[in-house]
Amino acid sequence: MSEILTSSATKVIAFQLKDKEYAFPVQQVQSIEKLMHITRVPGTSPFIKGVINLRGVVTPIVDLRSRFQLPEEYNEQARIIITVSGDTEIGLIVDGANDVLDIPGSVIELQPEGVGGAEEDYIVGVAKLEKRLIILLDLEKVL
Amino acid sequence: MEVSQYLDIFIDESKEHLQAINENLLLLEKSPEDLGIVNEIFRAAHTLKGMSATMGYDDLANLTHKMENVLDAVRNHKLQVSTDMLDVVFESVDDLEAMVHDIASGGDGKRDVTSIVKKLLKIEQGGAAFDSSLQKSPDTNALHMEYDEFEEAIIQQSKDQGFECYEISIQLHSECVLKAARVFMVFEVLEKYGEVIKSLPSVEQLENEQFEDRFTVAFITKETASSLKDKIEKISEVVQADVSETPRKAVEDIMLAQEEAALKQDTPVEKKETKTVNEPAASKAAASNKTIRVNIERLDSLMNLFEELVIDRGRLEQISSELNHPELNETVERMSRISGDLQEIILSMRMVPVETVFNRFPRMVRQLAKDLNKQMNLEIIGAETELDRTVIDEIGDPLVHLIRNAIDHGIEMPAERKAKGKNEEGTVKLKAYHSGNHVFIEIEDDGAGIDKEKVLEKALTKGIITKEQAASLTDGQIYELILASGFSTADVISDISGRGVGLDVVKTTIESLGGAISIQSEFGNGSKFLIQLPLTLSIISVMLVEIGSEKYAVPLSSIIETAIVQKEDILNTHAQRVIDYRGKIVPLLFLEDLFEVPKEQKEESFYSVVIVRKGDKMAGLVVDSFIGQQEVVLKSLGNYLSGVFAISGATILGDGQVALIIDCNALIK
């Protein structure tokens, strides 16, 4: 993750979760899917929603709201971000994903104190972009 | 010569030839008189030699050549088959295998083979003393020798490698008394500078002094003719040594001979065979099938594509049943049938006879028996039984473990066996057969059997079970304790087995393949390990069931039958609901509770039950409704979700949804 902080500009996929904006580097995102039927897998952690059929590949799905201990609720805008970590693909349910942003390294601040919430452990840094505050997440830790 | 493109073929074929040599050597050990077998071995060795020489693996070619010499001696009745001799030949086959293996893993196939080569030479020459008295001294004054194609091939190869081949005719003093001693001295001098490939008269005749005072040898060396002449003539009582080059003609013929080596070699050999032994190998040759080699990766990608097709077929079937359009139905039905046939063919292409695993065992057993000083007989039944390649790849090591275990712990020492009134020779039976959708492999020995008391005692001291548990265990359950990790009953830890790490690995491997292992044993009379394996791992037949709004798949292979059970027929024992199923008490498992399926509770007057089994144990899975039977493609849940309880994988249904496959083995305890 450190290269994100040092490189001049990082391309990220930004998404919403409740009232905040988060982002993953574009390299870690394979695709963005609409919500589809999720098959529950019994006996797994509560934030694992189950598996979907992603073009013939059985892909596990993590609910980020539940991961960050936010109340679970989805609307039409909800999306599944398919991330790639090593050779495993995992989908993350978010409230909406519609932005690809270039974030200059200069505007990224390393994990400030007091962001609060359960997501604090997963944060790499925070980027201030005009009036927006975008939280950069560490995929490995989220999973 | 650019040979890298042939490397794969070379490696494949070398392995095949080595395997053939191995098998035939074992046969030969059982029937040492059968020259047909020697010929088979010879042929395989010869081809191997030719191939490795072409590919530039000199050590490989060299060792094969020496081995061939020994075999040739056997073939020509100069040498008799003995265990010692076979040991050395086996050893050299091991070396050859190691070299081929090295080449396969990218090495140069070099290996120090001098010691084994020496052993082979010793046998070859030592054996020469055998039946010399039988042979009459032939015309000893012949100046030029006749070479058979093998010898010519050697000459040709040596010349390619910069050696010279001479015929040396040596005249001894006519009053020489110890002719054999002089011959020996000549040979000793010669061996320092090269290799004698042939002599006239033959070596044993020379040693028995069955010649006048002149003999000829064919000799491969880097020395010059004149220096050789000097060296030989220095030996006392040698009157004259004529060194001449091998006639050119012989060498030229070789070019042809080599090309048609296989053919040429077959014909004379076969003829000889029919004369000497009434069992021609011709039938074996005729049995070879018309086959082509296909890269396994291609078969795998064919399989993958077909899996996609199976998923779409499911989808089509569903659509057509919803639309209920007659022509569509008809077309879809036909397509289903054809793809069903296709599936059978593709699966059968991936099937490999278990022979490919079994055939390494006879060697192993032979060696083990020797190491342990036991007398062993390995019986293999049903080697032609076929299994999916993916299963075959995994099953080898567990079987090795079990066989080693049977020989080391099961079979007693010969004296002990005799005292018990058993045949001194222990028998291990390896049997494979099909039954339903499964392949069974049995490993049965007639050894000591499993000592229940000892097993229990050990399991208690190792803390694998508690005293209370011990009291309620059935015989079968006690035997299965030896498969638990950290268990070893052997009093003495040996090299072969007995470190207590083997059998639990066996169990895990087999279960990871979707199989099961069970043990039967009779103390004093032997034990039997029964392995049940699925025919294939990728496409399986399942029964789809519904629980709440969720769909699950139960592998058909574990299902005995489905039943509707009235509520009043359910009996309550302590904390467990059971039913009386055809006279047996079968526990009921409510999947909606086990899998915490979200649904509203409603009282029902009857339950739908799928009766499943694991070995001889049964359980009834309570579901909401049965959907039907379907062929599905087994998909893994991936690393992220590994180890989910009672779920062995997932599959994609016709409507594109994922259904989980229930692992009945985990549910039945």
Side-chain angles (χ1 to χ4, degrees):
Chain A
M1 293 306 279
S2 55
E3 70 271 19
I4 296 170
L5 306 174
T6 50
S7 60
S8 53
T10 312
K11 224 181 233 324
V12 298
I13 305 279
F15 58 90
Q16 294 83 47
L17 213 56
K18 211 174 170 205
D19 44 10
K20 287 185 194 148
E21 272 197 289
Y22 298 84
F24 283 121
V26 78
Q27 295 84 356
Q28 294 182 331
V29 177
Q30 185 184 306
S31 63
I32 297 171
E33 309 286 331
K34 287 193 174 171
L35 270 195
M36 57 179 93
H37 179 88
I38 300 175
T39 302
R40 199 181 58 90
V41 180
T44 48
S45 320
F47 61 85
I48 294 175
K49 282 289 106 177
V51 289
I52 60 165
N53 163 22
L54 184 71
R55 288 175 286 275
V57 179
V58 175
T59 312
I61 301 296
V62 167
D63 185 348
L64 266 198
R65 269 182 172 260
S66 151
R67 188 87 177 104
F68 293 165
Q69 281 140 32
L70 302 170
E72 289 179 38
E73 53 174 56
Y74 312 114
N75 56 23
E76 272 295 290
Q77 298 301 310
R79 293 288 180 273
I80 298 174
I81 299 183
I82 306 293
T83 61
V84 188
S85 155
D87 53 0
T88 50
E89 293 173 8
I90 292 165
L92 302 171
I93 307 179
V94 299
D95 286 356
N98 35 30
D99 257 341
V100 181
L101 299 174
D102 279 314
I103 300 186
S106 57
V107 303
I108 300 179
E109 281 172 33
L110 285 176
Q111 191 171 355
E113 293 298 318
V115 177
E119 73 266 35
E120 196 166 356
D121 294 342
Y122 321 125
I123 294 173
V124 179
V126 176
K128 276 187 216 123
L129 215 61
E130 289 157 31
K131 283 182 184 166
R132 296 161 75 178
L133 205 62
I134 294 169
I135 303 165
L136 299 175
L137 291 175
D138 185 338
L139 178 63
E140 314 286 329
K141 287 190 182 147
V142 169
L143 298 180
Chain B
M1 183 165 120
E2 181 51 54
V3 290
S4 60
Q5 53 176 322
Y6 304 116
L7 192 61
D8 285 347
I9 302 176
F10 167 71
I11 291 166
D12 277 357
E13 291 192 351
S14 302
K15 283 183 181 163
E16 273 168 29
H17 287 304
L18 284 173
Q19 185 56 47
I21 294 174
N22 254 331
E23 279 168 16
N24 283 313
L25 279 174
L26 285 166
L27 283 179
L28 185 64
E29 195 172 29
K30 282 189 190 133
S31 47
E33 299 303 317
D34 192 343
L35 286 185
I37 299 171
V38 181
N39 279 320
E40 287 288 327
I41 303 170
F42 194 95
R43 213 168 300 163
H46 185 70
T47 320
L48 184 62
K49 184 182 82 180
M51 287 195 313
S52 40
T54 317
M55 296 291 290
Y57 299 115
D58 295 337
D59 286 352
L60 196 57
N62 183 23
L63 181 54
T64 325
H65 170 60
K66 296 292 187 308
M67 200 171 90
E68 214 182 85
N69 285 351
V70 172
L71 293 168
D72 194 38
V74 174
R75 201 166 66 156
N76 296 331
H77 303 279
K78 288 181 195 158
L79 201 59
Q80 252 162 14
V81 178
S82 67
T83 317
D84 289 344
M85 176 215 131
L86 283 178
D87 278 345
V88 177
V89 178
F90 270 130
E91 205 179 314
S92 40
V93 173
D94 282 344
D95 275 333
L96 292 174
E97 268 170 353
M99 284 189 254
V100 170
H101 199 261
D102 181 43
I103 294 166
S105 50
D108 54 4
K110 291 245 181 288
R111 190 178 168 93
D112 183 15
V113 292
T114 40
S115 74
I116 187 77
V117 163
K118 261 187 207 144
K119 281 190 201 168
L120 284 170
L121 279 178
K122 207 168 147 199
I123 288 182
E124 188 191 345
Q125 282 157 8
F130 261 102
D131 54 356
S132 45
S133 52
L134 297 176
Q135 306 215 351
K136 292 277 166 282
S137 161
D139 157 17
T140 47
N141 284 322
L143 272 176
H144 284 299
M145 297 196 256
E146 300 274 324
Y147 298 96
D148 62 32
E149 58 261 61
F150 307 116
E151 286 152 356
E152 282 175 355
I154 297 163
I155 295 169
Q156 179 61 32
Q157 274 171 19
S158 323
K159 291 205 171 183
D160 289 347
Q161 288 163 19
F163 289 90
E164 272 308 328
C165 185
Y166 298 111
E167 278 181 12
I168 308 173
S169 176
I170 295 146
Q171 177 81 49
L172 295 179
H173 198 278
S174 54
E175 283 166 26
C176 173
V177 185
L178 289 165
K179 284 191 286 187
R182 295 299 160 211
V183 170
F184 177 75
M185 288 167 77
V186 170
F187 271 72
E188 201 177 41
V189 168
L190 287 174
E191 308 268 53
K192 271 187 212 155
Y193 301 103
E195 198 192 337
V196 176
I197 56 169
K198 193 181 172 82
S199 72
L200 197 76
S202 64
V203 179
E204 67 272 305
Q205 286 170 335
L206 290 176
E207 277 182 357
N208 288 291
E209 309 195 346
Q210 292 170 349
F211 67 106
E212 297 295 330
D213 47 15
R214 191 178 182 83
F215 65 96
T216 312
V217 295
F219 185 59
I220 292 172
T221 183
K222 279 193 167 155
E223 297 287 315
T224 61
S226 56
S227 80
L228 277 177
K229 186 175 161 74
D230 289 345
K231 280 167 185 143
I232 297 166
E233 282 177 350
K234 271 189 193 146
I235 303 167
S236 54
E237 289 189 305
V238 170
V239 178
Q240 197 190 359
D242 292 323
V243 181
S244 62
E245 272 192 50
T246 327
R248 200 70 211 158
K249 188 183 161 290
V251 175
E252 273 160 5
D253 281 349
I254 293 162
M255 306 310 282
L256 264 177
Q258 266 188 335
E259 272 169 36
E260 294 175 335
L263 275 174
K264 274 198 171 181
Q265 171 192 348
D266 274 8
T267 23
V269 166
E270 225 94 6
K271 268 182 209 155
K272 225 184 273 173
E273 242 164 58
T274 35
K275 266 182 224 159
T276 51
V277 193
N278 277 338
E279 193 192 45
S283 58
K284 271 190 198 160
S288 67
N289 293 325
K290 273 188 189 169
T291 50
I292 54 163
R293 277 173 201 279
V294 180
N295 192 322
I296 276 166
E297 278 167 27
R298 283 201 193 180
L299 283 183
D300 283 346
S301 61
L302 179 65
M303 189 66 193
N304 286 340
L305 285 174
F306 185 73
E307 285 173 358
E308 300 289 315
L309 194 66
V310 170
I311 293 169
D312 285 339
R313 177 181 75 190
R315 175 107 184 97
L316 264 179
E317 280 168 350
Q318 191 173 354
I319 293 173
S320 80
S321 75
E322 277 164 14
L323 288 178
N324 207 10
H325 184 284
E327 276 180 46
L328 179 66
N329 281 349
E330 204 178 298
T331 320
V332 168
E333 246 170 57
R334 211 165 51 218
M335 207 197 82
S336 300
R337 257 205 311 279
I338 292 172
S339 74
D341 293 348
L342 194 59
Q343 176 179 332
E344 229 162 78
I345 291 172
I346 292 176
L347 286 181
S348 73
M349 282 199 313
R350 294 165 50 89
M351 294 299 226
V352 186
V354 282
E355 203 177 351
T356 51
V357 182
F358 283 7
N359 58 21
R360 61 170 140 139
F361 295 145
R363 270 297 302 283
M364 193 186 87
V365 170
R366 180 183 185 274
Q367 194 59 46
L368 273 179
K370 263 195 157 21
D371 293 349
L372 294 168
N373 289 321
K374 291 182 181 178
Q375 291 177 25
M376 289 296 315
N377 179 27
L378 177 72
E379 258 180 63
I380 293 183
I381 304 161
E384 70 287 345
T385 312
E386 290 186 323
L387 261 172
D388 193 275
R389 192 182 59 78
T390 41
V391 185
I392 290 271
D393 289 348
E394 300 290 328
I395 196 65
D397 290 344
L399 287 180
V400 168
H401 261 303
L402 288 175
I403 293 175
R404 283 172 167 244
N405 193 63
I407 295 171
D408 196 14
H409 301 322
I411 303 289
E412 312 93 327
M413 300 302 291
E416 197 180 327
R417 289 182 66 86
K418 208 172 175 186
K420 283 186 185 172
K422 291 183 185 176
N423 188 343
E424 278 181 43
E425 191 181 64
T427 304
V428 172
K429 225 189 262 178
L430 188 61
K431 186 173 166 192
Y433 56 92
H434 277 273
S435 171
N437 247 338
H438 287 97
V439 168
F440 290 86
I441 299 177
E442 290 177 7
I443 297 129
E444 191 177 358
D445 66 71
D446 64 350
I450 300 172
D451 187 342
K452 266 192 294 182
E453 300 307 317
K454 214 166 157 186
V455 170
L456 273 181
E457 196 183 304
K458 198 93 164 194
L460 282 171
T461 53
K462 298 231 170 187
I464 296 168
I465 49 162
T466 62
K467 268 218 167 81
E468 295 78 55
Q469 284 174 316
S472 63
L473 289 178
T474 64
D475 283 3
Q477 283 166 326
I478 294 172
Y479 297 146
E480 273 169 42
L481 285 175
I482 66 170
L483 302 175
S485 62
F487 194 93
S488 171
T489 50
D491 296 326
V492 186
I493 287 177
S494 69
D495 266 356
I496 320 294
S497 55
R499 276 153 305 191
V501 289
L503 288 179
D504 59 316
V505 176
V506 169
K507 190 180 178 188
T508 331
T509 314
I510 289 168
E511 286 182 352
S512 74
L513 290 170
I517 177 166
S518 60
I519 307 171
Q520 294 162 16
S521 180
E522 199 182 323
F523 188 51
N525 284 327
S527 351
K528 179 154 105 180
F529 289 75
L530 181 67
I531 301 171
Q532 176 190 335
L533 292 166
L535 270 183
T536 176
L537 294 178
S538 45
I539 297 185
I540 58 171
S541 287
V542 295
M543 163 129 198
L544 286 178
V545 297
E546 206 162 25
I547 306 157
S549 58
E550 297 181 353
K551 285 176 190 152
Y552 288 87
V554 186
L556 226 49
S557 54
S558 341
I559 300 180
I560 302 177
E561 67 175 300
T562 57
I564 303 290
V565 177
Q566 298 300 321
K567 200 177 176 190
E568 53 268 26
D569 290 340
I570 294 180
L571 314 165
N572 279 305
T573 62
H574 34 267
Q576 176 71 284
R577 280 180 281 184
V578 299
I579 51 167
D580 181 358
Y581 167 77
R582 299 188 198 284
K584 274 190 176 172
I585 298 296
V586 175
L588 287 184
L589 297 168
F590 288 78
L591 290 186
E592 54 182 81
D593 301 336
L594 262 170
F595 292 154
E596 294 158 332
V597 181
K599 64 180 262 193
E600 48 219 88
Q601 290 294 327
K602 51 181 181 204
E603 282 303 302
E604 302 195 46
S605 59
F606 62 87
Y607 293 110
S608 305
V609 179
V610 185
I611 312 275
V612 294
R613 65 167 171 166
K614 172 199 183 185
D616 52 358
K617 281 173 280 187
M618 293 194 283
L621 309 181
V622 180
V623 301
D624 283 357
S625 60
F626 310 126
I627 299 173
Q629 182 187 332
Q630 202 177 333
E631 300 263 290
V632 298
V633 178
L634 188 64
K635 303 238 177 200
S636 140
L637 281 178
N639 295 332
Y640 190 61
L641 289 181
S642 63
V644 180
F645 173 71
I647 300 294
S648 60
T651 185
I652 294 166
L653 299 178
D655 58 6
Q657 290 185 10
V658 179
L660 301 178
I661 298 172
I662 295 176
D663 178 6
C664 298
N665 285 339
L667 284 177
I668 305 174
K669 281 175 216 92

